[in-house]
Amino acid sequence: MGKTSRLLTLAATGLSLVLPAPPPQSLPAQPSYQELALDGPSIQAETKPFSMVGITWPEGTQPVSANVRVQRDGSWTDWQPLQVEDDHGPDPSTPEGIQRAGTDPLWVGDATGVQASAVTSSGTTVSDAKVILIQPGVLATDADEPQASGVIQPEASRAPYPMPSMVSRKRWGADERLRSHNGAACARPKYTTTVQAAFVHHTADRNDYTRTQVPAMVRAMYTYHVKSRGWCDLGYNFLVDRFGRAFEGRYGGAQLPVLGAHTGSYNANSFGVALIGNFENAAPPPAMLETTARVIAWKLDANYRSPHATIMLDGSRLHTVSGHRDTKATACPGQQLYSKLGWLKQRINTLIGGSVSTPLYRYARGIGFRYLGQPFWGEHRTRTGWATYFATRDVFSSVASGTHSTVGVFRTRYRRLGAGSARLGLPVTDLYAVKGGLKQKFQRGWLIYNQPQGKVYVQYGRAS
């Protein structure tokens, strides 16, 4: 294994891929994490500087009401309620679980003191409550603007819809060592079967943050989800700020169906997009909505989903583009954002050009999705063409090779050779039976299965 990459194997599908290894990092300037015991109904303390605050308590506590105010420049702010959205989290049945319940975190800027209160719905003291204060520090890259990958044009003939420009985990300063905080098993990303739906959230945070504060806000949220709530990683798959910038959330590869922790009981086969801010009373800016539409369009189109369809998740019928409140009684994603879901669906449909018509999709439909299973790695560019990895077959396409698939032992061997970037080139036939086994022709050779030996051989060059 090289020093610049780490090989991860997806056991459920047999897929191997290379993801970036955690880069060498210096810790941010003056980071800190503080936990203050909230032994009574309220607490007041002067502290080390912090920028984000939240309150946690043991799972299973009856409903809690939490409020906070902070000291900045010697003055105290007004009291502010903290949002309690316990369903922003992992599925209860997953090993990740929810270690502690709590509020959504609140960005408060530079503060040096805190007053906090937390009581149950019956007015009693919350046992073992903790006030969490996080200072994510400052990185030199916080003020950098990511390089745009070009203007995305909503062309109906372009399919699948291209991945929008996105701030990577490395760019926003994710400390990848933090993913091991709750055990070695957490460091390895978990994958679900496919992508069927998008859930839209808001972070219930403030709306007046600056451009340069956003990377630090994401780092602080990441810290809170892992160290305070006990999750494996940042809960959301993607985040969007009010300036229209998209951020990569949970680790594991943005193109893949990474199992997030954003909509408890509905995380499987879905992804979560969180708009940074509180949109109960304030409307999300147009740039924010446009980027949200582009992120969702890219993920749905690659997996052959319509934004106007409905699907079954955890026994409930939901729209492929849903708000968090569609799964339970919650304010998320805020009334002003929830009211925009109709616009989002229509915009997504315009971006992806309506119906699916790619060669890969037509090939898959001809075979039958009942035989292929669901797309795991949605339609994506390779070095030499396009590919979609389904549950039972990998389908490849290019102008030069046509559209063909690998399956069974040929799929396994071709993946080990590098699949779409393999020396063999792309498949130019599907497999077919020959005396003593099976054969499949590629642009620069063959895969040959010798049935008596039970082995697959590679033959390069011209073959008859």
Side-chain angles (χ1 to χ4, degrees):
M1 184 181 300
K3 294 182 179 179
T4 60
S5 64
R6 173 172 296 171
L7 184 65
L8 299 179
T9 301
L10 312 184
T13 64
L15 170 63
S16 296
L17 70 157
V18 175
L19 294 177
Q25 289 180 310
S26 299
L27 286 175
Q30 301 179 343
S32 68
Y33 180 87
Q34 305 170 70
E35 287 188 357
L36 306 178
L38 186 54
D39 296 326
S42 63
I43 184 177
Q44 177 174 335
E46 291 191 4
T47 67
K48 292 186 293 185
F50 65 94
S51 295
M52 183 168 277
V53 60
I55 301 176
T56 69
W57 50 84
E59 188 179 359
T61 303
Q62 62 176 292
V64 173
S65 174
N67 294 272
V68 69
R69 68 174 185 164
V70 300
Q71 186 181 50
R72 286 199 297 259
D73 299 325
S75 300
W76 289 95
T77 64
D78 294 334
W79 283 95
Q80 183 170 349
L82 293 175
Q83 300 296 314
V84 180
E85 296 286 0
D86 273 348
D87 233 30
H88 281 170
D91 292 343
S93 59
T94 62
E96 184 172 355
I98 299 177
Q99 304 302 314
R100 284 181 68 84
T103 70
D104 281 339
L106 177 68
W107 183 260
V108 294
D110 296 322
T112 54
V114 63
Q115 289 183 329
S117 69
V119 294
T120 68
S121 55
S122 59
T124 60
T125 298
V126 179
S127 176
D128 190 27
K130 296 178 180 179
V131 179
I132 310 299
L133 308 176
I134 299 171
Q135 172 55 276
V138 178
L139 292 177
T141 55
D142 285 354
D144 291 349
E145 284 296 323
Q147 295 297 315
S149 58
V151 178
I152 300 172
Q153 299 296 334
E155 300 173 7
S157 61
R158 177 187 290 164
Y161 186 76
M163 179 179 179
S165 178
M166 190 170 295
V167 181
S168 68
R169 287 175 65 92
K170 180 179 179 181
R171 171 75 72 162
W172 58 255
D175 181 357
E176 300 298 358
R177 295 167 295 184
L178 190 58
R179 291 186 291 109
S180 300
H181 180 79
N182 292 314
C186 269
R188 193 180 186 86
K190 310 296 187 299
Y191 297 92
T192 185
T193 304
T194 188
V195 168
Q196 290 183 295
F199 285 108
V200 178
H201 301 266
H202 70 167
T203 61
D205 211 324
R206 60 194 299 166
N207 298 323
D208 59 351
Y209 52 83
T210 66
R211 297 178 74 93
T212 57
Q213 286 176 330
V214 178
M217 294 175 74
V218 178
R219 290 196 301 274
M221 198 181 310
Y222 172 38
T223 299
Y224 183 77
H225 286 178
V226 173
K227 297 182 73 171
S228 308
R229 301 297 302 276
W231 305 350
C232 288
D233 195 350
L234 185 64
Y236 307 111
N237 297 98
F238 306 99
L239 301 100
V240 179
D241 70 13
R242 70 188 182 98
F243 308 103
R245 298 178 298 179
F247 290 74
E248 179 187 10
R250 182 161 282 218
Y251 180 82
Q255 289 184 319
L256 299 175
V258 178
L259 179 66
H262 50 85
T263 311
S265 299
Y266 297 90
N267 291 306
N269 297 340
S270 72
F271 64 98
V273 182
L275 280 65
I276 301 174
N278 190 319
F279 301 106
E280 183 62 32
N281 298 310
M288 193 179 215
L289 288 172
E290 176 66 16
T291 298
T292 302
R294 293 184 177 196
V295 170
I296 298 174
W298 159 60
K299 291 292 283 186
L300 291 187
D301 200 35
N303 289 275
Y304 311 131
R305 313 295 179 188
S306 166
H308 293 306
T310 59
I311 42 88
M312 293 296 295
L313 282 181
D314 197 44
S316 298
R317 182 159 293 279
L318 297 163
H319 293 278
T320 50
V321 180
S322 291
H324 184 186
R325 66 171 62 179
D326 292 323
T327 67
K328 66 167 292 185
T330 173
C332 182
Q335 181 57 40
Q336 295 298 315
L337 175 53
Y338 188 76
S339 68
K340 296 292 185 181
L341 289 191
W343 180 91
L344 272 176
K345 294 174 187 178
Q346 188 57 50
R347 179 60 177 153
I348 292 164
N349 194 61
T350 299
L351 291 171
I352 66 178
S355 61
V356 180
S357 60
T358 67
L360 289 162
Y361 178 78
R362 292 195 297 269
Y363 175 94
R365 189 176 58 185
I367 292 178
F369 290 102
R370 59 181 293 189
Y371 301 109
L372 286 171
Q374 297 293 323
F376 175 79
W377 187 345
E379 190 163 329
H380 60 280
R381 279 195 178 276
T382 67
R383 292 182 183 178
T384 52
W386 294 87
T388 302
Y389 287 16
F390 292 89
T392 64
R393 291 186 186 224
D394 298 345
V395 185
F396 301 89
S397 183
S398 76
V399 173
S401 66
T403 306
H404 302 281
S405 64
T406 57
V407 64
V409 292
F410 282 3
R411 178 172 79 155
T412 301
R413 186 60 181 271
Y414 191 52
R415 283 182 174 183
R416 289 175 180 171
L417 291 170
S421 61
R423 178 182 164 191
L424 275 175
L426 296 177
V428 295
T429 71
D430 285 354
L431 66 80
Y432 57 92
V434 296
K435 185 177 180 179
L438 301 168
K439 243 182 175 182
Q440 184 166 9
K441 187 176 182 180
F442 293 77
Q443 289 172 307
R444 292 181 290 278
W446 303 80
L447 287 179
I448 303 168
Y449 175 65
N450 185 302
Q451 191 169 18
Q453 296 178 3
K455 293 183 178 180
V456 177
Y457 293 92
V458 184
Q459 182 176 332
Y460 294 104
R462 289 185 174 274
S464 57

